[in-house]
Amino acid sequence: MGLSGGDFYDMGEEATVGFLRHSEIKHGRVAMAAFVGYCVQSNFIFPWPQHMDGSTGPSVDLSPEQQWDAIPEVAKWQMFTLIAFLEIWDECSNLQGMPHYTKGRMPGKYPTLQPFRDNVHFALDLFDPFGFSKNRSEEKKSRGRVAEVNNGRLAMLGIFGFLSADKLP
């Protein structure tokens, strides 16, 4: 398709490649979470109350798509608001002294939530929240990044396979 040779937003080829790499990693992470969520939702519901009226979530007798339709509108807006916050936090990473992913930051590296933790509420960092990879060698980190991209690609295929299979008679 020649996307990497493009010049998105007139920022140059390096910025375009950074944008595409970051986008692929981000969408892969979302797809991995969606795949696991789909598997869990198809087989299990959490038994504790999930709504203000004390009721639990939708039944496992419903498909995950039907479960999504059955949850309250306000719950959907909570999820979209969280996603929007995380996107804005990522785009404003330069305010923390971290370069934007189109300007040299390693694709997939998410800015720390430390300012949010200090001033608002406890939250784990999205990039290496428990510090497991900080002492790993560069070779192991590189292999892990390649594995993450490949797993994300596979998860994208998997979640679309699940969604497509549910639409077939």
Side-chain angles (χ1 to χ4, degrees):
M1 289 177 31
L3 290 176
S4 63
D7 186 7
F8 294 4
Y9 311 112
D10 294 325
M11 291 177 21
E13 186 176 326
E14 185 178 337
T16 298
V17 170
F19 172 81
L20 292 172
R21 286 183 179 159
H22 190 76
S23 179
E24 180 180 22
I25 292 168
K26 186 188 318 182
H27 286 87
R29 288 173 179 167
V30 169
M32 287 186 273
F35 185 88
V36 170
Y38 196 99
C39 292
V40 170
Q41 243 180 309
S42 296
N43 299 298
F44 178 78
I45 62 164
F46 296 107
W48 53 81
Q50 296 178 15
H51 304 293
M52 296 301 282
D53 64 1
S55 63
T56 61
S59 166
V60 290
D61 297 335
L62 302 175
S63 72
E65 294 89 350
Q66 292 168 326
Q67 290 177 14
W68 173 257
D69 291 338
I71 63 172
E73 195 75 23
V74 68
K76 294 174 188 176
W77 280 108
Q78 285 177 332
M79 289 182 241
F80 291 136
T81 303
L82 175 65
I83 292 166
F85 166 77
L86 293 173
E87 287 290 327
I88 291 167
W89 194 266
D90 186 25
E91 292 298 322
C92 296
S93 61
N94 61 332
L95 299 176
Q96 296 182 37
M98 182 181 225
H100 193 265
Y101 54 85
T102 59
K103 296 184 176 144
R105 181 174 82 199
M106 181 177 70
K109 185 168 183 176
Y110 196 81
T112 182
L113 293 171
Q114 190 63 47
F116 186 82
R117 248 191 318 271
D118 291 344
N119 299 306
V120 182
H121 190 276
F122 177 77
L124 291 172
D125 284 334
L126 297 180
F127 185 79
D128 196 20
F130 301 111
F132 292 146
S133 68
K134 68 180 175 185
N135 296 327
R136 292 172 58 193
S137 69
E138 279 305 313
E139 180 184 329
K140 285 186 178 180
K141 286 180 184 179
S142 179
R143 265 199 343 258
R145 287 190 289 268
V146 169
E148 180 183 24
V149 169
N150 289 333
N151 290 340
R153 290 172 180 166
L154 186 58
M156 286 185 243
L157 293 172
I159 192 63
F160 278 111
F162 279 154
L163 296 174
S164 298
D166 275 352
K167 292 299 177 189
L168 296 175

